[in-house]
Amino acid sequence: MTQPSDKALVPFVSVDNMMQLIHHIGVEEVLKGLAGYIEDDFKRWEQFDKTPRVASHSDVGVIELMPTSDGEAYGFKYVNGHPKNTSEGLQTVTAFGLLADVYTGYPVLLTEMTILTALRTAATSAMVAKYLAPKDATTMAMIGNGAQSEFQTLAMKAICGLKSVRLYDTDSKATEKCAKNLAGLGLEVVPCATPEDAIQGAQILTTCTADKQNATILTDNMVGVGVHINAIGGDCPGKTELAAAILNRSDVFVEYPPQTRIEGEIQQMDPDFAVTEFWQVVTGQKEGRRDPRQITLFDSVGFAIEDFSALRYIRDHIKGTDFFDDLDMLADPDDPRDLFGMLGRAKA
């Protein structure tokens, strides 16, 4: 870890700085870079402290803290999920994160993570699909065309070679927005009128809806053999997107079972329902896709290690750039024991 400077200033990446950094590197290059960092951290999964996210639920949403450490660095993300916000002109999800040096306890990075979370979620999806999706998959159904949809699509293009995306949302304006944003980015974009239409010919099925309810976005008869399902929208107790029968026909892969059993698609299954921890696939301890007719399902709820990877990526890539501001957020008296004296001298 980089030690804090003598002035104990903390780099802060604002929303504007984050957007400028992404454009400086390139969106698809950022997605590929994040996927690489995430994959590297999955390979050393056992080194990390792991705990389900600390969640505070209300009738209208949830506020969560997602902490982890590899023994050298400590990171956490603050994130909310409020589906009702969209109707009020607000983001469903907002977030910020911090990375700290375990040796000193000093923070070494503070950053917005609303945009970064969308990027890391998409990078994780595509990194997993690289292992689980059918060989030479070129078409994805994107069911749910909200704030995550473009990121998910571009990540699959950059990392898995996606060539075509079929869009569906219950709100046709969301589909129009997504299609417009993806125009000219090297993909065939096909707006669809029904979810059944969207999944036609798709080898990857991504579900990403926001409503906090047990919904059935995909019914059992909609899912044929040989597909990969990327279920990223179910991420809190009482919210699912898939019919339980689909899970019974699928090989299900998760990030951290104690969290996924509370928040993921598998919350509707028995507590002993069999799943594979995806880090074991990355390390070669377990098989991913082994049969062309196999249905693979990534029951993703997002986990703190992925945020840790994203924080590491940003820390490394702001070096030598102007895409951050130094924050004076740490009290740093000349004598560490004389905090009150520093306060007194400030008055003078």
Side-chain angles (χ1 to χ4, degrees), residues 30-48 120 122-132 159-160 278-284 305-310 312-313:
V30 170
L31 287 164
K32 288 190 284 188
L34 284 169
Y37 272 61
I38 295 165
E39 187 171 14
D40 287 344
D41 284 340
F42 269 60
K43 289 177 181 176
R44 59 193 189 104
W45 187 268
E46 293 173 290
Q47 297 178 20
F48 285 89
R120 78 87 163 125
T124 300
S125 293
M127 185 271 290
V128 171
K130 184 177 68 172
Y131 287 86
L132 299 183
I159 296 162
C160 301
F278 186 72
W279 70 269
Q280 295 176 305
V281 177
V282 177
T283 58
I305 292 173
E306 297 154 16
D307 298 311
F308 182 92
S309 307
R312 287 201 305 114
Y313 177 88

Side-chain angles (χ1 to χ4, degrees), residues 27-28 150 154 157 178 180-189:
V27 176
E28 292 190 28
E150 297 92 345
L154 286 178
K157 173 180 180 284
C178 185
K180 180 180 178 181
N181 286 339
L182 291 173
L185 296 181
L187 286 160
E188 179 191 28
V189 180

Side-chain angles (χ1 to χ4, degrees), residues 18-346:
M18 181 64 73
M19 293 190 294
Q20 295 303 320
L21 177 65
I22 293 165
H23 286 302
H24 174 71
I25 299 171
V27 176
E28 292 190 28
E29 288 302 314
V30 170
L31 287 164
K32 288 190 284 188
L34 284 169
Y37 272 61
I38 295 165
E39 187 171 14
D40 287 344
D41 284 340
F42 269 60
K43 289 177 181 176
R44 59 193 189 104
W45 187 268
E46 293 173 290
Q47 297 178 20
F48 285 89
D49 292 337
K50 291 174 283 292
T51 184
R53 67 182 102 212
V54 182
S56 177
H57 293 277
S58 70
D59 291 339
V60 294
V62 63
I63 295 173
E64 302 168 331
L65 292 177
M66 301 173 66
T68 192
S69 173
D70 66 354
E72 293 187 4
Y74 169 90
F76 78 83
K77 182 175 76 176
Y78 167 101
V79 61
N80 77 294
H82 284 65
K84 61 88 182 172
N85 278 7
T86 302
S87 64
E88 300 174 11
L90 302 173
Q91 287 288 308
T92 299
V93 175
T94 63
F96 69 86
L98 183 141
L99 193 67
D101 182 2
V102 167
Y103 180 72
T104 64
Y106 276 32
V108 297
L109 176 69
L110 178 66
T111 180
E112 86 81 35
M113 288 195 75
T114 305
I115 298 170
L116 186 56
T117 293
L119 288 162
R120 78 87 163 125
T121 302
T124 300
S125 293
M127 185 271 290
V128 171
K130 184 177 68 172
Y131 287 86
L132 299 183
K135 185 178 180 181
D136 300 325
T138 59
T139 301
M140 179 174 77
M142 184 73 231
I143 300 177
N145 302 155
Q148 297 262 352
S149 56
E150 297 92 345
F151 295 95
Q152 288 286 324
T153 302
L154 286 178
M156 293 292 183
K157 173 180 180 284
I159 296 162
C160 301
L162 190 76
K163 295 181 180 178
S164 177
V165 61
R166 301 176 65 82
L167 305 177
Y168 172 75
D169 196 291
T170 54
D171 181 356
S172 61
K173 291 183 179 178
T175 300
E176 291 172 11
K177 176 271 304 179
C178 185
K180 180 180 178 181
N181 286 339
L182 291 173
L185 296 181
L187 286 160
E188 179 191 28
V189 180
V190 184
C192 298
T194 67
E196 289 83 0
D197 185 21
I199 66 174
Q200 291 300 313
Q203 300 97 357
I204 300 172
L205 314 180
T206 293
T207 59
C208 186
T209 59
D211 287 345
K212 189 177 180 179
Q213 61 178 324
N214 293 120
T216 306
I217 307 303
L218 292 181
T219 59
D220 186 33
N221 64 349
M222 292 171 66
V223 178
V225 298
V227 299
H228 172 60
I229 303 171
N230 180 39
I232 64 170
D235 55 3
C236 64
K239 181 183 187 309
T240 56
E241 296 180 321
L242 308 181
I246 297 173
L247 279 71
N248 282 321
R249 293 197 291 128
S250 304
D251 288 302
V252 179
F253 300 81
V254 303
E255 292 135 320
Y256 184 59
Q259 180 172 294
T260 311
R261 292 190 190 278
I262 295 170
E263 301 181 353
E265 294 297 322
I266 60 172
Q267 66 182 275
Q268 57 188 312
M269 312 304 285
D270 292 335
D272 58 352
F273 179 76
V275 298
T276 300
E277 294 185 53
F278 186 72
W279 70 269
Q280 295 176 305
V281 177
V282 177
T283 58
Q285 298 179 39
K286 295 288 181 68
E287 282 189 294
R289 177 163 291 275
R290 61 182 183 277
D291 185 325
R293 296 180 58 82
Q294 179 186 12
I295 300 171
T296 56
L297 194 164
F298 180 42
D299 188 3
S300 173
V301 297
F303 190 63
I305 292 173
E306 297 154 16
D307 298 311
F308 182 92
S309 307
L311 288 165
R312 287 201 305 114
Y313 177 88
I314 296 301
R315 178 200 63 192
D316 292 348
H317 285 78
I318 61 171
K319 293 176 182 177
T321 77
D322 296 323
F323 304 125
F324 65 93
D325 298 294
D326 283 324
L327 290 188
D328 182 14
M329 60 179 289
L330 296 173
D332 189 32
D334 295 334
D335 181 349
R337 299 167 297 179
D338 192 18
L339 188 62
F340 190 83
M342 183 181 74
L343 175 62
R345 288 188 291 276

